[in-house]
Amino acid sequence: MTGLLIEAEKAGIEVLEDARIGRLKGLYIDNIIVLNSNLETEKEKRCILCEELGHHFTSYGNILDQTKIENRKQERRARAWAYEKLISPDTIIKAYEHGVQNRFELAEFLNVTEEFVQDAISYYKTKYWPYYRKGEYCIIFDPLNVIKKEAI
């Protein structure tokens, strides 16, 4: 979480923890990110902090009313920003190079929640279906698998 806190500081964003934001896990308002102090794990805090940073860089106005299409679009943009930041395809390849074999190990390796990994995989399935290729690597998203083309 330290790297994200440094990024927030560089962007002029204050990060606080407070339980008074109710059922929300996080909230971004005018260069302030509030994380719910009832979040149980550092992994969850890290994921929520990254998404709220995504709101800083991609959203505008009050988007709490998720019945509005534009607000839902802004929510998806902020989440996509967080997925690209914490679980990019390049990061998945690096994890594979370190022996990571599945999404559970990926969550542990990247210090994020399993739910965040699954949501990121769903995002990439939509974005790159049916696979993502970079150099000698191919990432298949359903089920998650990284294949390295062997040198001939």
Side-chain angles (χ1 to χ4, degrees), residues 17-131:
E17 287 190 42
D18 197 315
R20 293 177 291 176
I21 60 173
R23 293 189 330 228
L24 295 175
K25 292 182 178 187
L27 184 64
Y28 172 79
I29 302 173
D30 298 330
N31 293 333
I32 298 172
I33 292 174
V34 182
L35 300 176
N36 194 319
S37 58
N38 292 322
L39 294 174
E40 294 184 13
T41 67
E42 285 300 310
K43 289 179 180 184
E44 189 174 20
K45 287 178 185 179
R46 184 169 189 257
C47 296
I48 300 302
L49 174 57
C50 195
E51 182 183 329
E52 297 308 325
L53 277 172
H55 283 295
H56 171 77
F57 291 112
T58 68
S59 304
Y60 58 90
N62 181 343
I63 66 166
L64 290 174
D65 182 356
Q66 289 292 297
T67 63
K68 296 180 180 177
I69 291 172
E70 180 56 34
N71 292 353
R72 288 195 308 268
K73 287 180 181 179
Q74 288 192 70
E75 185 66 33
R76 280 193 303 272
R77 275 195 301 270
R79 287 184 182 176
W81 188 93
Y83 301 145
E84 298 279 354
K85 182 80 174 168
L86 295 180
I87 311 178
S88 70
D90 288 345
T91 304
I92 294 171
I93 290 169
K94 286 178 186 170
Y96 167 81
E97 290 172 339
H98 282 89
V100 169
Q101 297 294 314
N102 57 52
R103 62 187 172 102
F104 306 107
E105 291 176 2
L106 184 61
E108 191 66 30
F109 183 79
L110 298 176
N111 196 31
V112 297
T113 65
E114 291 174 16
E115 178 184 12
F116 192 81
V117 168
Q118 188 56 50
D119 291 346
I121 290 168
S122 295
Y123 163 73
Y124 289 126
K125 274 176 34 177
T126 302
K127 183 175 181 179
Y128 295 119
W129 186 257
Y131 58 84

Side-chain angles (χ1 to χ4, degrees), residues 96 133-138 146-152:
Y96 167 81
R133 182 170 288 190
K134 180 163 185 182
E136 59 192 344
Y137 292 96
C138 181
V146 179
I147 299 168
K148 182 178 180 182
K149 181 179 173 183
E150 296 300 323
I152 299 175

Side-chain angles (χ1 to χ4, degrees), residues 8-19:
E9 185 179 338
K10 287 181 181 177
I13 301 168
E14 183 178 2
V15 179
L16 310 169
E17 287 190 42
D18 197 315

